[in-house]
Amino acid sequence: MEQAIPSKTALSVALRRAAHQIHDSPVVFDDPIAVALLGTTYAEELRRTPVRADRPFSIALRAFLVARSRYAEDNLRKAVEGGVEQYVLLGAGLDTFAYRNSYAQLRVFEVDHPATQQWKRELLQRNRIAIPDSVTYAPVDFERHSLSTQLGDAGFNHRAPAFFAWLGVVPYLTLEAFRGTLNFISAQPPGTGLTLDYGQPRAVLPLLERLAHDSLASRVEKAGEPFQLFFTPAGIAAEFSRFHSLEDLGAPEINARYFSGRTDQLGVRGAAGHLFSAWL
């Protein structure tokens, strides 16, 4: 990501989450703040966000983005029921959980690039969305900063379990940065959990999906946030040798869990995107 500007991909994700609230029924991921956070600043961009039925890959991308948010919060609920009181959003972007958090005991740490955090806080203020005392901002550049140090400085308790959501980040990292963050998480106490999304390498995708991959890769590169890191299911499982209860969902599993019985076209397509969770 460019140093002085907020994440353009974070805005794209937020626009699709907001469009889901407006155009899809029933919603898979209920987010009453998604539209309000964008406010009048991005109202025109929200109006132009693709939702047409003749753009199946755009529909599938929206479905994947809302499914991954739902998946993260479903797993968070399990963690809270198990006694976890710390939730860390790695690459929080314009995620709204902290501002609709219903768990009184849960402290939320939003980890992101400083420019993106400042942009988000300006949107919250501009649109009169209160910042609760339970949320703390931890500025981190994953390629340059120590996650452990930055979180510790923000008040994170390294001796207590936590749940980590790492959404929309892994494809943009180097392998070294990915493993550095994973090593930090794997050093946390038992009861700690993690959810992330990842993409499969272009080489393993069928032809039409390669074309869709190339189109998306071109757009994010032009935004200054190029793709760098991909995994196969076997490859990412190997990275999580210190964890247990691994779950890896591809399109068939995601659709069965979140999109079955719908009468519209909303659903995940293809083999590229996966949702993954693991526990210590």
Side-chain angles (χ1 to χ4, degrees):
M1 199 182 86
E2 295 178 29
Q3 287 289 86
I5 61 174
S7 169
K8 294 177 183 177
T9 56
L11 175 59
S12 177
V13 170
L15 287 165
R16 284 173 168 82
R17 280 198 303 253
H20 176 59
Q21 311 304 310
I22 298 170
H23 299 287
D24 298 324
S25 180
V27 294
V28 170
F29 180 62
D30 186 13
D31 185 347
I33 300 176
V35 176
L37 178 61
L38 296 172
T40 57
T41 306
Y42 296 107
E44 178 57 24
E45 288 191 61
L46 178 57
R47 188 189 67 79
R48 291 187 280 108
T49 297
V51 293
R52 286 167 30 194
D54 62 346
R55 301 186 64 173
F57 281 103
S58 179
I59 293 173
L61 177 58
R62 183 169 79 253
F64 183 78
L65 295 177
V66 299
R68 79 180 185 189
S69 292
R70 170 71 180 274
Y71 183 66
E73 294 188 17
D74 285 351
N75 277 287
L76 172 64
R77 184 179 66 253
K78 297 177 188 176
V80 171
E81 290 171 352
V84 168
E85 297 183 356
Q86 300 182 109
Y87 182 34
V88 182
L89 287 150
L90 300 173
L94 296 183
D95 188 278
T96 66
F97 173 82
Y99 316 97
R100 49 184 172 79
N101 175 18
S102 62
Y103 304 116
Q105 75 279 25
L106 187 66
R107 186 170 183 185
V108 181
F109 296 87
E110 291 201 0
V111 176
D112 216 331
H113 192 281
T116 297
Q117 287 189 336
Q118 180 60 34
W119 167 58
K120 181 177 188 174
R121 296 183 75 165
E122 289 171 359
L123 284 175
L124 289 164
Q125 181 178 24
R126 188 179 307 152
N127 295 303
R128 295 184 172 88
I129 298 171
I131 300 176
D133 293 338
S134 58
V135 62
T136 301
Y137 299 95
V140 174
D141 183 331
F142 286 98
E143 298 288 349
R144 295 177 174 84
H145 296 154
S146 163
L147 177 59
S148 177
T149 300
Q150 298 297 100
L151 271 177
D153 289 346
F156 179 80
N157 183 358
H158 294 276
R159 295 182 298 276
F163 187 76
F164 293 81
W166 204 5
L167 306 181
V169 178
V170 170
Y172 303 97
L173 300 178
T174 61
L175 182 59
E176 180 182 10
F178 170 81
R179 286 177 172 168
T181 299
L182 187 57
N183 286 338
F184 165 74
I185 296 172
S186 66
Q188 303 310 302
T192 291
L194 164 70
T195 188
L196 58 80
D197 63 302
Y198 72 92
Q200 293 211 74
R202 182 184 188 278
V204 307
L205 302 177
L207 177 60
L208 287 179
E209 287 189 60
R210 290 184 189 183
L211 297 177
H213 167 96
D214 292 345
S215 175
L216 182 58
S218 176
R219 293 200 301 274
V220 298
E221 185 169 12
K222 288 178 181 177
E225 302 170 48
F227 289 146
Q228 300 189 82
L229 187 61
F230 299 94
F231 291 101
T232 62
I236 201 163
E239 299 286 338
F240 281 81
S241 59
R242 286 169 283 184
F243 291 74
H244 65 80
S245 302
L246 309 186
E247 182 177 60
D248 192 324
L249 307 182
E253 295 82 14
I254 295 169
N255 286 332
R257 184 171 299 188
Y258 294 122
F259 299 102
S260 64
R262 297 187 69 92
T263 57
D264 57 16
Q265 297 182 49
L266 191 67
V268 178
R269 298 168 63 99
H274 281 239
L275 302 177
F276 185 89
S277 62
W279 301 82
L280 291 170

